[in-house]
Amino acid sequence: MGRGQGIGLAEVARAAGVSTATVSNVLNRPEIVSPQTTARVLDAIRELDFVPNRAAATLRRGVNPLIALFVPEVANPFYSEIVGAVADEAAAHDFTIGLCVTHDDPEREVAFANSLAEQRAAAAIVVPITADAPRLSQLRRIGARLVLLDRMASSADGCSVGIDDVLGGRLAVRHLLDSGATEVTLVNGRHSIQQCADRHSGAVQALAERRFGAEALTEIVVDSMSVDAGRRVGLEIAGSAVPRAIFCANDQLAVGVIAGLRDGGVDVPGQAIVVGYGDQSLALDGPVPLTSVAQPTHHMGVEAVRCVFAEIHEGERHVHRAVQLSPELVVRDSAPATAEHRPPRGGLPEPTRQERE
């Protein structure tokens, strides 16, 4: 038997000269154990190479080590990265995920929720396109724990983890204005999608900061935020008065817009500059590397799982959290920095993390 195998709480307690209850408290409720005792227990754990069985601990609390994850799709790199981050963080705690690709279909969500309710899943992490109250109410049937991801919510609705998309919109449009633009065209999705509404608000704020009026922003709203939709918009723009500065609400639209502009004979960045949103892998795949607002997607997934475990371990003492992460601008050839606004050597500052309770 290898070192650490077959070692349990009793062996650790004996080595540390404490009770098994004290060892359990050090592992699960360290705030009630004195620092000196905690140090002795941790020394014994290291000496014996003891590995706590987190799954067993959660089962003792009456929790099934299963987290339901609802995403609209997985073809979009944004969602696939979230799935990977959630799965990895859950696995680190001996939990698994049950994945439902919803295609934003309420009936599909309900069917999956009913299945997971029977399995008594520990929690649901939901990445919604729309987050209306009836749909969230249905999803709560899985259990008491619900975490919204990529969407901020009131504490009454549970924990939430999201991006400051208003700030992201401001960063994008500030950069376009710094490049000499006096008008901006925003290619956006429907405002019923909160992220699209927030990015529009950020664009308006950036223009107002420079004392530009509402007429300085032209918005083109598309039903599908895809590369094909962006290409159609780019071709339409190329056939008319071409705007100098274009901000697209995601990278798929931006890549499509650039393709449509180039097909229509418009040079990017010579005649038009374009900023996307998301900084996904396709931002580097096209003929013109895309300037984009980067989202800490992996960090979002990790934070969502941490919210789940905080609620599991804190029980009735748990206070729902709203964790908002900050995006940052990544400058590339589609909208290069001008000399006077080029970022300092060493790159842009790291995004900050704001947490509201």
Side-chain angles (χ1 to χ4, degrees), residues 121-157:
I125 296 175
V126 183
V127 188
I129 292 181
T130 56
D132 55 276
R135 289 174 73 169
L136 294 180
S137 177
Q138 289 279 6
L139 293 177
R140 285 194 187 90
R141 294 181 59 188
I142 295 175
R145 306 175 191 93
L146 177 67
V147 178
L148 286 184
L149 184 52
D150 195 33
R151 179 68 56 87
M152 304 309 296
S154 69
S155 59
D157 291 326

mmCIF file of all heavy atoms in Angstrom, residues 121-157:
data_model
loop_
_atom_site.group_PDB
_atom_site.id
_atom_site.type_symbol
_atom_site.label_atom_id
_atom_site.label_comp_id
_atom_site.label_asym_id
_atom_site.label_seq_id
_atom_site.Cartn_x
_atom_site.Cartn_y
_atom_site.Cartn_z
ATOM 1 N N ALA A 121 -29.337 17.009 -7.904
ATOM 2 C CA ALA A 121 -28.082 17.694 -8.204
ATOM 3 C C ALA A 121 -27.802 18.754 -7.145
ATOM 4 O O ALA A 121 -28.718 19.385 -6.603
ATOM 5 C CB ALA A 121 -28.149 18.337 -9.585
ATOM 6 N N ALA A 122 -26.522 18.952 -6.845
ATOM 7 C CA ALA A 122 -26.144 19.891 -5.788
ATOM 8 C C ALA A 122 -26.498 21.323 -6.145
ATOM 9 O O ALA A 122 -26.832 22.124 -5.270
ATOM 10 C CB ALA A 122 -24.647 19.779 -5.510
ATOM 11 N N ALA A 123 -26.408 21.663 -7.426
ATOM 12 C CA ALA A 123 -26.636 23.048 -7.840
ATOM 13 C C ALA A 123 -26.800 23.096 -9.347
ATOM 14 O O ALA A 123 -26.504 22.128 -10.058
ATOM 15 C CB ALA A 123 -25.465 23.936 -7.416
ATOM 16 N N ALA A 124 -27.258 24.244 -9.816
ATOM 17 C CA ALA A 124 -27.328 24.511 -11.250
ATOM 18 C C ALA A 124 -26.564 25.789 -11.543
ATOM 19 O O ALA A 124 -26.773 26.813 -10.889
ATOM 20 C CB ALA A 124 -28.777 24.652 -11.710
ATOM 21 N N ILE A 125 -25.658 25.719 -12.514
ATOM 22 C CA ILE A 125 -24.987 26.908 -13.039
ATOM 23 C C ILE A 125 -25.601 27.170 -14.403
ATOM 24 O O ILE A 125 -25.568 26.309 -15.284
ATOM 25 C CB ILE A 125 -23.468 26.698 -13.150
ATOM 26 C CG1 ILE A 125 -22.861 26.479 -11.759
ATOM 27 C CG2 ILE A 125 -22.812 27.890 -13.830
ATOM 28 C CD1 ILE A 125 -21.376 26.140 -11.790
ATOM 29 N N VAL A 126 -26.178 28.342 -14.571
ATOM 30 C CA VAL A 126 -26.961 28.643 -15.768
ATOM 31 C C VAL A 126 -26.325 29.799 -16.520
ATOM 32 O O VAL A 126 -26.084 30.868 -15.946
ATOM 33 C CB VAL A 126 -28.417 29.000 -15.397
ATOM 34 C CG1 VAL A 126 -29.242 29.232 -16.658
ATOM 35 C CG2 VAL A 126 -29.033 27.894 -14.549
ATOM 36 N N VAL A 127 -26.046 29.570 -17.805
ATOM 37 C CA VAL A 127 -25.553 30.630 -18.690
ATOM 38 C C VAL A 127 -26.718 30.985 -19.610
ATOM 39 O O VAL A 127 -26.924 30.346 -20.633
ATOM 40 C CB VAL A 127 -24.336 30.175 -19.513
ATOM 41 C CG1 VAL A 127 -23.732 31.353 -20.270
ATOM 42 C CG2 VAL A 127 -23.286 29.528 -18.617
ATOM 43 N N PRO A 128 -27.517 31.991 -19.238
ATOM 44 C CA PRO A 128 -28.731 32.262 -20.002
ATOM 45 C C PRO A 128 -28.503 33.268 -21.118
ATOM 46 O O PRO A 128 -27.630 34.136 -21.026
ATOM 47 C CB PRO A 128 -29.665 32.854 -18.946
ATOM 48 C CG PRO A 128 -28.732 33.601 -18.038
ATOM 49 C CD PRO A 128 -27.403 32.862 -18.063
ATOM 50 N N ILE A 129 -29.274 33.147 -22.197
ATOM 51 C CA ILE A 129 -29.357 34.248 -23.156
ATOM 52 C C ILE A 129 -30.383 35.249 -22.637
ATOM 53 O O ILE A 129 -30.138 36.442 -22.558
ATOM 54 C CB ILE A 129 -29.732 33.732 -24.559
ATOM 55 C CG1 ILE A 129 -28.572 32.907 -25.130
ATOM 56 C CG2 ILE A 129 -30.051 34.903 -25.488
ATOM 57 C CD1 ILE A 129 -28.824 32.367 -26.513
ATOM 58 N N THR A 130 -31.547 34.732 -22.264
ATOM 59 C CA THR A 130 -32.534 35.555 -21.571
ATOM 60 C C THR A 130 -32.750 34.931 -20.199
ATOM 61 O O THR A 130 -32.664 33.717 -20.048
ATOM 62 C CB THR A 130 -33.867 35.598 -22.335
ATOM 63 O OG1 THR A 130 -34.336 34.258 -22.531
ATOM 64 C CG2 THR A 130 -33.684 36.271 -23.685
ATOM 65 N N ALA A 131 -32.994 35.746 -19.204
ATOM 66 C CA ALA A 131 -33.104 35.245 -17.828
ATOM 67 C C ALA A 131 -34.406 35.729 -17.206
ATOM 68 O O ALA A 131 -34.421 36.374 -16.175
ATOM 69 C CB ALA A 131 -31.910 35.709 -17.000
ATOM 70 N N ASP A 132 -35.541 35.414 -17.855
ATOM 71 C CA ASP A 132 -36.816 35.855 -17.310
ATOM 72 C C ASP A 132 -37.177 35.013 -16.091
ATOM 73 O O ASP A 132 -36.754 33.861 -15.940
ATOM 74 C CB ASP A 132 -37.912 35.774 -18.373
ATOM 75 C CG ASP A 132 -38.018 34.389 -18.984
ATOM 76 O OD1 ASP A 132 -37.256 34.096 -19.929
ATOM 77 O OD2 ASP A 132 -38.838 33.602 -18.489
ATOM 78 N N ALA A 133 -37.981 35.581 -15.215
ATOM 79 C CA ALA A 133 -38.291 34.963 -13.925
ATOM 80 C C ALA A 133 -38.916 33.575 -14.040
ATOM 81 O O ALA A 133 -38.535 32.666 -13.299
ATOM 82 C CB ALA A 133 -39.185 35.899 -13.115
ATOM 83 N N PRO A 134 -39.904 33.339 -14.934
ATOM 84 C CA PRO A 134 -40.499 31.999 -15.003
ATOM 85 C C PRO A 134 -39.484 30.908 -15.341
ATOM 86 O O PRO A 134 -39.532 29.810 -14.784
ATOM 87 C CB PRO A 134 -41.554 32.142 -16.108
ATOM 88 C CG PRO A 134 -41.892 33.594 -16.127
ATOM 89 C CD PRO A 134 -40.611 34.292 -15.815
ATOM 90 N N ARG A 135 -38.547 31.210 -16.240
ATOM 91 C CA ARG A 135 -37.553 30.198 -16.609
ATOM 92 C C ARG A 135 -36.623 29.909 -15.435
ATOM 93 O O ARG A 135 -36.285 28.754 -15.162
ATOM 94 C CB ARG A 135 -36.760 30.659 -17.833
ATOM 95 C CG ARG A 135 -37.590 30.638 -19.095
ATOM 96 C CD ARG A 135 -36.858 31.225 -20.271
ATOM 97 N NE ARG A 135 -35.804 30.355 -20.767
ATOM 98 C CZ ARG A 135 -35.168 30.563 -21.913
ATOM 99 N NH1 ARG A 135 -35.494 31.596 -22.673
ATOM 100 N NH2 ARG A 135 -34.223 29.747 -22.312
ATOM 101 N N LEU A 136 -36.208 30.938 -14.719
ATOM 102 C CA LEU A 136 -35.346 30.713 -13.564
ATOM 103 C C LEU A 136 -36.083 29.944 -12.475
ATOM 104 O O LEU A 136 -35.503 29.099 -11.792
ATOM 105 C CB LEU A 136 -34.838 32.045 -13.022
ATOM 106 C CG LEU A 136 -33.900 32.826 -13.945
ATOM 107 C CD1 LEU A 136 -33.464 34.123 -13.282
ATOM 108 C CD2 LEU A 136 -32.684 31.995 -14.322
ATOM 109 N N SER A 137 -37.364 30.219 -12.326
ATOM 110 C CA SER A 137 -38.164 29.500 -11.335
ATOM 111 C C SER A 137 -38.212 28.011 -11.652
ATOM 112 O O SER A 137 -38.110 27.161 -10.761
ATOM 113 C CB SER A 137 -39.578 30.080 -11.287
ATOM 114 O OG SER A 137 -40.387 29.359 -10.393
ATOM 115 N N GLN A 138 -38.352 27.679 -12.935
ATOM 116 C CA GLN A 138 -38.349 26.274 -13.337
ATOM 117 C C GLN A 138 -37.010 25.623 -13.004
ATOM 118 O O GLN A 138 -36.946 24.492 -12.516
ATOM 119 C CB GLN A 138 -38.617 26.165 -14.844
ATOM 120 C CG GLN A 138 -40.039 26.500 -15.253
ATOM 121 C CD GLN A 138 -40.997 25.332 -15.026
ATOM 122 O OE1 GLN A 138 -40.626 24.309 -14.465
ATOM 123 N NE2 GLN A 138 -42.233 25.500 -15.449
ATOM 124 N N LEU A 139 -35.925 26.331 -13.263
ATOM 125 C CA LEU A 139 -34.603 25.756 -13.030
ATOM 126 C C LEU A 139 -34.327 25.562 -11.546
ATOM 127 O O LEU A 139 -33.557 24.677 -11.167
ATOM 128 C CB LEU A 139 -33.529 26.653 -13.657
ATOM 129 C CG LEU A 139 -33.560 26.723 -15.188
ATOM 130 C CD1 LEU A 139 -32.511 27.699 -15.691
ATOM 131 C CD2 LEU A 139 -33.335 25.352 -15.798
ATOM 132 N N ARG A 140 -34.950 26.358 -10.696
ATOM 133 C CA ARG A 140 -34.732 26.204 -9.257
ATOM 134 C C ARG A 140 -35.298 24.892 -8.731
ATOM 135 O O ARG A 140 -35.017 24.501 -7.603
ATOM 136 C CB ARG A 140 -35.356 27.375 -8.497
ATOM 137 C CG ARG A 140 -34.550 28.650 -8.625
ATOM 138 C CD ARG A 140 -34.979 29.692 -7.596
ATOM 139 N NE ARG A 140 -34.302 30.934 -7.852
ATOM 140 C CZ ARG A 140 -34.779 31.895 -8.643
ATOM 141 N NH1 ARG A 140 -35.943 31.734 -9.240
ATOM 142 N NH2 ARG A 140 -34.098 32.999 -8.843
ATOM 143 N N ARG A 141 -36.078 24.205 -9.555
ATOM 144 C CA ARG A 141 -36.608 22.916 -9.123
ATOM 145 C C ARG A 141 -35.488 21.907 -8.904
ATOM 146 O O ARG A 141 -35.671 20.898 -8.224
ATOM 147 C CB ARG A 141 -37.591 22.382 -10.168
ATOM 148 C CG ARG A 141 -38.853 23.216 -10.302
ATOM 149 C CD ARG A 141 -39.783 22.623 -11.333
ATOM 150 N NE ARG A 141 -40.164 21.254 -10.984
ATOM 151 C CZ ARG A 141 -40.850 20.463 -11.795
ATOM 152 N NH1 ARG A 141 -41.205 20.889 -12.991
ATOM 153 N NH2 ARG A 141 -41.167 19.240 -11.420
ATOM 154 N N ILE A 142 -34.321 22.154 -9.492
ATOM 155 C CA ILE A 142 -33.188 21.252 -9.276
ATOM 156 C C ILE A 142 -32.785 21.254 -7.812
ATOM 157 O O ILE A 142 -32.387 20.245 -7.249
ATOM 158 C CB ILE A 142 -31.993 21.689 -10.149
ATOM 159 C CG1 ILE A 142 -32.350 21.521 -11.622
ATOM 160 C CG2 ILE A 142 -30.738 20.897 -9.827
ATOM 161 C CD1 ILE A 142 -31.290 22.032 -12.552
ATOM 162 N N GLY A 143 -32.889 22.385 -7.175
ATOM 163 C CA GLY A 143 -32.488 22.510 -5.779
ATOM 164 C C GLY A 143 -32.424 23.966 -5.400
ATOM 165 O O GLY A 143 -32.740 24.853 -6.188
ATOM 166 N N ALA A 144 -31.987 24.224 -4.179
ATOM 167 C CA ALA A 144 -31.986 25.597 -3.673
ATOM 168 C C ALA A 144 -30.850 26.426 -4.251
ATOM 169 O O ALA A 144 -30.899 27.642 -4.213
ATOM 170 C CB ALA A 144 -31.900 25.585 -2.154
ATOM 171 N N ARG A 145 -29.812 25.774 -4.769
ATOM 172 C CA ARG A 145 -28.615 26.508 -5.190
ATOM 173 C C ARG A 145 -28.669 26.790 -6.686
ATOM 174 O O ARG A 145 -28.741 25.872 -7.492
ATOM 175 C CB ARG A 145 -27.351 25.718 -4.843
ATOM 176 C CG ARG A 145 -27.268 25.327 -3.380
ATOM 177 C CD ARG A 145 -26.068 24.447 -3.102
ATOM 178 N NE ARG A 145 -26.153 23.872 -1.767
ATOM 179 C CZ ARG A 145 -26.687 22.693 -1.502
ATOM 180 N NH1 ARG A 145 -27.170 21.946 -2.493
ATOM 181 N NH2 ARG A 145 -26.734 22.243 -0.266
ATOM 182 N N LEU A 146 -28.593 28.063 -7.027
ATOM 183 C CA LEU A 146 -28.617 28.471 -8.427
ATOM 184 C C LEU A 146 -27.592 29.577 -8.616
ATOM 185 O O LEU A 146 -27.598 30.570 -7.888
ATOM 186 C CB LEU A 146 -30.009 28.978 -8.817
ATOM 187 C CG LEU A 146 -30.170 29.509 -10.244
ATOM 188 C CD1 LEU A 146 -30.005 28.378 -11.254
ATOM 189 C CD2 LEU A 146 -31.527 30.178 -10.422
ATOM 190 N N VAL A 147 -26.695 29.396 -9.582
ATOM 191 C CA VAL A 147 -25.692 30.410 -9.899
ATOM 192 C C VAL A 147 -25.886 30.836 -11.345
ATOM 193 O O VAL A 147 -25.878 29.998 -12.250
ATOM 194 C CB VAL A 147 -24.253 29.877 -9.702
ATOM 195 C CG1 VAL A 147 -23.233 30.951 -10.085
ATOM 196 C CG2 VAL A 147 -24.036 29.428 -8.258
ATOM 197 N N LEU A 148 -26.092 32.133 -11.550
ATOM 198 C CA LEU A 148 -26.164 32.672 -12.904
ATOM 199 C C LEU A 148 -24.759 33.041 -13.357
ATOM 200 O O LEU A 148 -24.008 33.686 -12.614
ATOM 201 C CB LEU A 148 -27.058 33.907 -12.950
ATOM 202 C CG LEU A 148 -28.562 33.691 -12.849
ATOM 203 C CD1 LEU A 148 -29.288 35.022 -13.011
ATOM 204 C CD2 LEU A 148 -29.053 32.701 -13.883
ATOM 205 N N LEU A 149 -24.419 32.655 -14.559
ATOM 206 C CA LEU A 149 -23.083 32.908 -15.101
ATOM 207 C C LEU A 149 -23.212 33.751 -16.362
ATOM 208 O O LEU A 149 -24.077 33.494 -17.209
ATOM 209 C CB LEU A 149 -22.400 31.576 -15.408
ATOM 210 C CG LEU A 149 -20.948 31.586 -15.891
ATOM 211 C CD1 LEU A 149 -20.067 32.385 -14.957
ATOM 212 C CD2 LEU A 149 -20.432 30.159 -15.999
ATOM 213 N N ASP A 150 -22.364 34.764 -16.472
ATOM 214 C CA ASP A 150 -22.416 35.740 -17.557
ATOM 215 C C ASP A 150 -23.676 36.590 -17.458
ATOM 216 O O ASP A 150 -24.191 37.087 -18.459
ATOM 217 C CB ASP A 150 -22.328 35.075 -18.933
ATOM 218 C CG ASP A 150 -22.014 36.080 -20.046
ATOM 219 O OD1 ASP A 150 -21.293 37.050 -19.769
ATOM 220 O OD2 ASP A 150 -22.492 35.887 -21.185
ATOM 221 N N ARG A 151 -24.186 36.747 -16.264
ATOM 222 C CA ARG A 151 -25.366 37.580 -16.028
ATOM 223 C C ARG A 151 -25.388 37.979 -14.558
ATOM 224 O O ARG A 151 -25.338 37.117 -13.687
ATOM 225 C CB ARG A 151 -26.642 36.802 -16.366
ATOM 226 C CG ARG A 151 -27.933 37.572 -16.134
ATOM 227 C CD ARG A 151 -28.062 38.716 -17.114
ATOM 228 N NE ARG A 151 -27.972 38.241 -18.478
ATOM 229 C CZ ARG A 151 -29.009 37.794 -19.190
ATOM 230 N NH1 ARG A 151 -30.205 37.771 -18.660
ATOM 231 N NH2 ARG A 151 -28.839 37.388 -20.432
ATOM 232 N N MET A 152 -25.442 39.265 -14.274
ATOM 233 C CA MET A 152 -25.543 39.717 -12.896
ATOM 234 C C MET A 152 -26.995 39.616 -12.441
ATOM 235 O O MET A 152 -27.920 39.820 -13.229
ATOM 236 C CB MET A 152 -25.043 41.156 -12.760
ATOM 237 C CG MET A 152 -23.615 41.371 -13.259
ATOM 238 S SD MET A 152 -22.409 40.209 -12.570
ATOM 239 C CE MET A 152 -22.490 40.651 -10.833
ATOM 240 N N ALA A 153 -27.186 39.283 -11.168
ATOM 241 C CA ALA A 153 -28.535 39.125 -10.635
ATOM 242 C C ALA A 153 -28.586 39.690 -9.229
ATOM 243 O O ALA A 153 -27.557 39.870 -8.571
ATOM 244 C CB ALA A 153 -28.928 37.648 -10.623
ATOM 245 N N SER A 154 -29.795 39.959 -8.756
ATOM 246 C CA SER A 154 -29.950 40.403 -7.375
ATOM 247 C C SER A 154 -29.661 39.229 -6.451
ATOM 248 O O SER A 154 -29.793 38.064 -6.829
ATOM 249 C CB SER A 154 -31.368 40.916 -7.140
ATOM 250 O OG SER A 154 -32.294 39.842 -7.184
ATOM 251 N N SER A 155 -29.273 39.535 -5.223
ATOM 252 C CA SER A 155 -28.917 38.472 -4.282
ATOM 253 C C SER A 155 -30.098 37.557 -3.983
ATOM 254 O O SER A 155 -29.917 36.400 -3.608
ATOM 255 C CB SER A 155 -28.385 39.082 -2.983
ATOM 256 O OG SER A 155 -29.357 39.925 -2.389
ATOM 257 N N ALA A 156 -31.320 38.047 -4.173
ATOM 258 C CA ALA A 156 -32.493 37.208 -3.921
ATOM 259 C C ALA A 156 -32.578 36.053 -4.911
ATOM 260 O O ALA A 156 -33.182 35.018 -4.623
ATOM 261 C CB ALA A 156 -33.763 38.051 -3.999
ATOM 262 N N ASP A 157 -31.969 36.221 -6.086
ATOM 263 C CA ASP A 157 -32.021 35.183 -7.116
ATOM 264 C C ASP A 157 -30.905 34.161 -6.984
ATOM 265 O O ASP A 157 -30.830 33.216 -7.754
ATOM 266 C CB ASP A 157 -31.943 35.822 -8.512
ATOM 267 C CG ASP A 157 -33.191 36.614 -8.850
ATOM 268 O OD1 ASP A 157 -34.276 36.202 -8.414
ATOM 269 O OD2 ASP A 157 -33.075 37.639 -9.536
#
